[in-house]
Amino acid sequence: MAAVLPVEGRRNVLVTSALPYVNNVPHLGNIIGCVLSADAFARYCRLRGHNVLYVCGTDEYGTATETKAMEEGSSPREICDKYHAIHKEVYEWFGISFDIFGRTSTPQQTEVCQEIFLKLLENNWLSENTMQQLYCNSCQRFLADRLVEGYCPTEGCNYDSARGDQCEKCGKLLNSTDLIDPKCKVCGSTPCVRDTDHLFLELPLLKEKLEKYINETSVAGSWSQNAIHATNAWLKEGLKPRCITRDLKWGVPVPHEKYKDKVFYVWFDAPIGYISITACYTPEWEKWWKNPENVELYQFMGKDNVPFHTVMFPSTLLGTGENWTFMKTISVTEYLNYESGKFSKTKGIGVFGNDAKATNIPPEVWRYYLLTNRPEASDTLFTWTDLQAKCNNELLNNLGNFINRVLSFIAKPEGTGYGSVVPDSPDADSHTLTQSLAETVGKLTDQYIDAMDKVKIKQGLKIAMAISSEGNAYLQESQFWKLYKQDPASCATVLKTSVGLVYLLACLLEPFMPTFSKEVLQQLNLCPQEHLSFCDEKRESEKAKRPWDLIPSGHRIGKPAPLFKGLVCLCAYLDDLHMFHYLLLLDASHYMQENDAVKGLRDKFAGSQAERKLRTKVAAQLEATEI
């Protein structure tokens, strides 16, 4: 397949999601924070007729990988190969539509990263300095940021497991020497402080260029408020020279004689990964990354990644003096918390991608739940009860119920239905109830496009679901089952309008639930590619104001089938040795507020991953003993 390249005269949209660390399985907070949000936007842009390239990949260099390799007794390369495959499998299951899902441990990454470094060196934006760093006498090595933990020095935080680069609790960026009572994560001993020479990016000298970029682009690109707040906080503190090298082996080598035994700091080279992954995708990568006049760059991430994308990365590119494509819009999520605490990859707490797959809950349900619960303005909370309620009340009772009622009635044999053939509706323009519905749906569709254009993803999904609610209300108010005998013309209008709404919903919801959309189109007997185009030039969004015209009279639909199953009686399960079983599926009218399903899921995923493995091991031993 030919590579997607920018096209003259079209809107070219480059979408990236923050590169996930390769040292663990992504949890639900990671998934909604970057890849799923970006995927919904990329899919929407394709519906709008834009020319889209969606780029992501695993961030593979740095201490996180070295630490994981030590934990598992493997080499960094083996860890990267193992977890890159796991990430890829998880994202494929979630239906993420990357154009390329690459990795940073490639020759292209080394080439691009070193070229940028040499430009910075040539332009005198780098300085040398001696810094103090923690050194472990037992391990006989300098401790990189993630190889040391201690108490956070930030007033009011005092988190006891803060890393040497950042506190996971308060989000404050740190230097390892700032930690209180630091400990080496490898051997547990107390490190000492030693001098070591490093290279620094002179952010203070780049401040004028950076602030001009931020002031102009944050307005033009409608940056999310949390991104603006985090960026301004960095600027308010005052920019300081930022160290870009580390005393490690696993990373991009520094092409400088004095520093040839060092590598680049992961937060210097990781954002460059967007560029190098694109270079792996196409040798014509500069058409995307050095083409600011014709390419719009949208970046998605969690709030802890903001300063590296709004301060560090643009400063790096500005310092080269080259014509880079700079980020236009940044979309930032707050934290998705888990039940009563926080998701944590480090501690293995929460629901991870492979866990979601193991629940037998379809990926469409997970996608819907996470996107409706997207933490856009403040932290949000994942709970099993909320997942159950959203599935039953919104997907099953609202959306699934509307679509199934409409298609099932049309599919009934003549005399009780329409024999699977969409009826004619010559009186739609004079049917009062239908005209009222059409006006509302038209406005909602315009609002949906406006929200999604502004990257208000959760709002866009809410508006699309509101159309389904309007459809249900329309069916109830029309009492179409009575009209079938009493007023056949009105009944035909109601059903033809409703089947048009079904089609409209399949199109509007495709960015959020692509498999659902495909299934609806199949039930409508339409090709999976037969979406409405919301391209401005085609003006097909105007058709939403006349839903009775969306599916032609005489069109034969396919076979209707339920689209969702209720999370109603997911019976409790005990462990991975056949003691977990799921009974998904009763009629939605039987669902409960709190039941064995929720309790079973909560118990299953209680504690850390290590504790879950221990429970499984103990259960297996008990079962073997009983046998």
Side-chain angles (χ1 to χ4, degrees), residues 336-343 349 381:
L336 176 70
N337 294 323
Y338 177 67
E339 291 282 343
S340 57
K342 279 192 172 184
F343 281 92
I349 294 173
L381 187 65

Side-chain angles (χ1 to χ4, degrees), residues 14 88 97 148 151 176 179 262 276 290 293 299 353 385 389 395 412 474 489 493 496 521 620:
L14 177 58
K88 195 168 186 292
S97 62
V148 59
Y151 286 87
S176 59
L179 294 174
K262 300 181 191 288
S276 74
K290 293 186 178 181
E293 295 82 12
Q299 298 197 287
T385 306
L395 291 180
K412 287 181 178 180
Y474 174 66
T493 293
K496 191 168 189 290
L521 291 175

